[in-house]
Amino acid sequence: MKSIPLLGGLLLSSHQVLAQSDPRVASLDGFTEVPDPYYGQSPPVYPTPEGDGGVDKSWQNAYARARELVSQMTLDEKVNMTHGHEGDCVGNTPSIERLGIPKLCFADGPSGIRGQEFVSAFPAQITVGATFDRGLMKRFGEAMGMEYFRKGINVALLPVAGPLGRIARAGRNWEGFGADPYLSGAGMKAVTTGVQDQGVIVQSKHWLLNEQEYRRNPGPEGESLSSNADDRTIHELYVFPFMDSLKAGAASLMCSYQRVNNSYGCQNSKLLNGILKTELGFQGFVTSDWYAQHAGVASANAGMDLVMPNQAFWGPNLTEAVNNGSVAETRLNDMVTRILAAWYYTGQDDGYPEVAVSPYTEQHPIVDVRGDNAALIREIGAAGHILVKNVNNTLPLKKPRYLSVYGYDARLGDSPWENPARFGGGYEVNFGWNTQNGTLITGGGSGTSTPPYLISPFDAIQRRVMEDQGTVRWDFAAINPPVYANSEACLVFINGYASEAFDRLSLQDEFSDQLVKNVATNCSNTIVVIHSAGIRTVDEWIEHPNITAVVYGLLPGQETGNSIVDVLYGDISPSGRMPFTVARNESDYGHLLNSTVGSGPYPQDNFTEGLYIDYRYFDKHNITPRYEFGYGLSYSTFSYADLSVDSLGGNTNEYPTEQVPVPQGGPSDIWDVLFNVTVNIENTGDVDANEVPQLYVNIATAPARQLRGFDRVHIACGATEQVTFPVTRRDLSIWDVVAQKWKLQKGQYPIYVGASSRDIRLTGTIEV
Ligand SMILES: *[C@@H]1O[C@H](CO)[C@@H](O)[C@H](O)[C@H]1NC(C)=O
Ligand SMILES: *[C@@H]1O[C@H](CO)[C@@H](O)[C@H](O)[C@H]1NC(C)=O
Ligand SMILES: *[C@@H]1O[C@H](CO)[C@@H](O)[C@H](O)[C@H]1NC(C)=O
Ligand SMILES: *[C@@H]1O[C@H](CO)[C@@H](O)[C@H](O)[C@H]1NC(C)=O
Ligand SMILES: *[C@@H]1O[C@H](CO)[C@@H](O)[C@H](O)[C@H]1NC(C)=O
Ligand SMILES: *[C@@H]1O[C@H](CO)[C@@H](O)[C@H](O)[C@H]1NC(C)=O
Ligand SMILES: *[C@@H]1O[C@H](CO)[C@@H](O)[C@H](O)[C@H]1NC(C)=O
Ligand SMILES: *[C@@H]1O[C@H](CO)[C@@H](O)[C@H](O)[C@H]1NC(C)=O
Ligand SMILES: *[C@@H]1O[C@H](CO)[C@@H](O)[C@H](O)[C@H]1NC(C)=O
Ligand SMILES: *[C@@H]1O[C@H](CO)[C@@H](O)[C@H](O)[C@H]1NC(C)=O
Ligand SMILES: *[C@@H]1O[C@H](CO)[C@@H](O)[C@H](O)[C@H]1NC(C)=O
Ligand SMILES: *[C@@H]1O[C@H](CO)[C@@H](O)[C@H](O)[C@H]1NC(C)=O
């Protein structure tokens, strides 16, 4: 893989050997001969629906042209296009010069192009989610899309809706937008649109139920974990955000490592042929996660279209399988047609830039793709900061002349460039950052970013103190640093790391907690900033009377220092909201804290909580969190009034109107706006500020409150703004497991509008 370090080295264990000796390899549906113990079996769904463009004109045109090309390809050429090859990119498909088909370059995401120079390190998706701002989500997608486009990258391995955040300590939760399908869906839609508007193919991932790292891959102990979930939970929680991406035109999708109901994600016919390609009318292509293919015939017939990063079980064996009839040639044609249709659909046949991806070790021309994205990164970074404690308006700082800054997370790490492809650490079991590592701007693994420079919190604070003709003191190393009596505030920076390939061992660490407590003991104005790749608990010190303000910075990207200064000094009023639930005690997450360890050769992870994860779980079990989903403070105050519900008509029958073919993303009706819920919000405080009102709905037989609307609105001091939440048919529907349709129940739906999932200001009713 040239000099781009890939996760592959880690992942490629003995599983191929295991998989070959697995009796399921020979069977189409991939599970029939597996011994007990056993949970769900994945129902067989065959054959794969052939992509044909469906109802969409652009897809139809793309298919017509793709078919024309495929009809001119030899069997070997077709097989060649369904697997990865050596090349400069993380994934590469081959060119066919006589037909004008170029190589396609696949590159990691979802917070920027990994492992390249003159590219931006964007905020992680968890920070983008915390903004609760669809406009920023869209601009984030557009800016990233522009960078992938200018580097000539055809397929960007983003955005992420799985993991959703079922397990509090799961290592990759920070790669998603937050632990709620509606919030995640809004992000998926915005980024899919933003990236593909630039001509780059998105690859939404990981499909499906990829909710922990532990035993996601097979190993010496046996097969990977099987995520076992019921049909309704699968639809209402985990498929839901992917639907938004599909509806927005997602042209590819990545199947996941682990098994679902005991069948591997990339050979699970119910997930691929069934839910994705039949029920959701998917026209694009399905790529395996890297090294996630575990059988040849089974994955082909289950609906996988492209294997990465090498031929794995395909190549010559796929040719043989087509020749001996175990894989129909129409299936092979469909794989290649889908790949080329995606290429046409996004307009890549017309003047797409040359690939400009190079290893560090080779001299190469500079291709600077960043434009003015730094300004947007700073803006999103600031908007994603969540103020959770602010006693007596400690913040914003009022031109302090004397500040002290503490903690390893305030400064640049000693040697972040040791492995420049993986800034912020590699694949590591690590739940607290040690004193050498420095400020955290992203998590670890393939989703990490590669900053072109890094404005640390200390750099930006020092610059501001200089402008104010002040004095700054610092100590980044000591756990019991000196406190200066004259200092107006003590800023303590700590973090919580997480990485792909490992789940976290804790949501806090002793070093950081002790540091905070030590400073607070001697400093009556202690302000804590937390950069964390997911949840970070704070109950060790949150009630300490000298801790006057606390801000979660999450993972802001390369402009982190400027973003935190914008917030600390009140250049913007914070409006970020918790994209997950922060518990008082880790044990409050119950069985949703740790990844499932399982045992034996076929470990089982039963999603017995169904729809009740994160705040749905806390609400159901009456557990008071420290910071609930949707929580976040402002420098201003707001009052909510005048809740009204307008019925807009539309189809309120029990089921959506049948459509054949099904439009990508599901039947058109489910996206109809049936109601507009409006409220008036007045800024009753002293500063202009953004407010993030949220709409929660109680659907019969579903969790008490589910997010179904949000907005981030700028409201001038003293002014009132009207906010509208458009409520779609899907927002009110449940998945009917018998009818296999989204069902709109007749009756009354209590609704709640507030500043968080528990800070409800207004209530009302929607009547269907
Ligand atoms: C998962 O559920 C199945 C059946 O519902 C049960 O037999 C099995 O013991 C469960 N596994 C675990 C680890 O709880
Ligand atoms: C998994 O098994 C459950 C329980 O039998 C079933 O409801 C669900 O549809 C299955 N899903 C998949 C993808 O196999
Ligand atoms: C398959 O692709 C590789 C890499 O581009 C190329 O070297 C080889 O000739 C191709 N084989 C066929 C049969 O097209
Ligand atoms: C290809 O098939 C042959 C048997 O036909 C088998 O021995 C070999 O392991 C297969 N290769 C892969 C990569 O699956
Ligand atoms: C056809 O070829 C495939 C790939 O080598 C192999 O797995 C399968 O067993 C073969 N089937 C028959 C019926 O020969
Ligand atoms: C906050 O203000 C109140 C009222 O002025 C005062 O009693 C309290 O001590 C202040 N708290 C802190 C932490 O400064
Ligand atoms: C970062 O922290 C980890 C875990 O504490 C440590 O193993 C690693 O050496 C540190 N990296 C640097 C560059 O100090
Ligand atoms: C606080 O200050 C005292 C002296 O004023 C010092 O002895 C102590 O180490 C400092 N730190 C803590 C955590 O008490
Ligand atoms: C708060 O800080 C002051 C020093 O400014 C110290 O005297 C006091 O003991 C601290 N309070 C606590 C509870 O540690
Ligand atoms: C957290 O919960 C555990 C287990 O219930 C308990 O032992 C511990 O004391 C709790 N910690 C706090 C700070 O409440
Ligand atoms: C989570 O795992 C830790 C070990 O890392 C264990 O000590 C703890 O009991 C587990 N907690 C729960 C709630 O399963
Ligand atoms: C519903 O709200 C949207 C704005 O979100 C607005 O464009 C539309 O006109 C509203 N419809 C009605 C009937 O008020």
Side-chain angles (χ1 to χ4, degrees), residues 388-399:
V388 296
K389 182 176 183 183
N390 194 20
V391 179
N392 291 352
N393 297 318
T394 295
L395 293 178
L397 299 171
K398 286 121 199 126
K399 279 196 174 245

Side-chain angles (χ1 to χ4, degrees), residues 230-397:
D230 64 273
D231 195 32
R232 184 168 170 201
T233 300
I234 286 176
H235 281 82
E236 291 180 33
L237 272 191
Y238 300 103
V239 166
F240 191 109
F242 281 98
M243 290 168 72
D244 294 273
S245 178
L246 294 171
K247 161 85 170 144
S252 78
L253 184 140
M254 186 188 288
C255 51
S256 66
Y257 284 124
Q258 91 301 332
R259 297 178 298 151
V260 170
N261 285 357
N262 291 290
S263 170
Y264 272 103
C266 292
Q267 65 192 60
N268 186 310
S269 66
K270 168 70 176 169
L271 285 181
L272 301 177
N273 289 343
I275 299 177
L276 181 65
K277 289 184 173 177
T278 305
E279 186 187 310
L280 297 175
F282 181 55
Q283 299 297 328
F285 61 95
V286 176
T287 306
S288 71
D289 203 339
W290 269 229
Y291 305 100
Q293 192 191 39
H294 299 297
V297 172
S299 57
N301 290 336
M304 195 180 99
D305 302 303
L306 174 63
V307 58
M308 281 291 172
N310 52 31
Q311 71 181 36
F313 291 86
W314 286 355
N317 281 14
L318 182 57
T319 310
E320 190 186 323
V322 169
N323 284 332
N324 75 16
S326 29
V327 173
E329 184 155 10
T330 49
R331 176 75 267 270
L332 174 64
N333 291 343
D334 181 50
M335 295 175 191
V336 183
T337 308
R338 284 172 176 273
I339 295 166
L340 291 173
W343 178 68
Y344 279 125
Y345 176 70
T346 47
Q348 295 191 356
D349 58 304
D350 186 12
Y352 208 72
E354 287 287 306
V355 177
V357 165
S358 316
Y360 292 108
T361 45
E362 282 170 19
Q363 272 206 333
H364 51 267
I366 286 175
V367 180
D368 186 341
V369 298
R370 297 167 295 174
D372 55 5
N373 288 342
L376 177 66
I377 291 168
R378 176 176 183 163
E379 185 183 349
I380 297 172
H385 278 72
I386 310 163
L387 178 68
V388 296
K389 182 176 183 183
N390 194 20
V391 179
N392 291 352
N393 297 318
T394 295
L395 293 178
L397 299 171

Side-chain angles (χ1 to χ4, degrees), residues 60 69 148 264 288 291 296 310 428 444 459 474 561 592 594 603 765:
Q60 287 167 4
L69 279 187
Y148 285 84
Y264 272 103
S288 71
Y291 305 100
N310 52 31
E428 292 174 89
D459 294 342
W474 64 91
L592 299 177
N594 288 330
T765 312

Side-chain angles (χ1 to χ4, degrees), residues 583-590 617-618 623-625:
R584 290 171 183 262
N585 191 329
E586 291 197 49
S587 63
D588 291 342
Y589 295 103
Y617 177 87
F618 280 71
I623 303 164
T624 307

Side-chain angles (χ1 to χ4, degrees), residues 386-390 527-528 530 541-542 547-552:
I386 310 163
L387 178 68
V388 296
K389 182 176 183 183
N390 194 20
I527 298 166
V528 183
I530 303 168
W541 40 259
I542 193 68
I547 297 178
T548 50
V550 177
V551 180
Y552 281 76

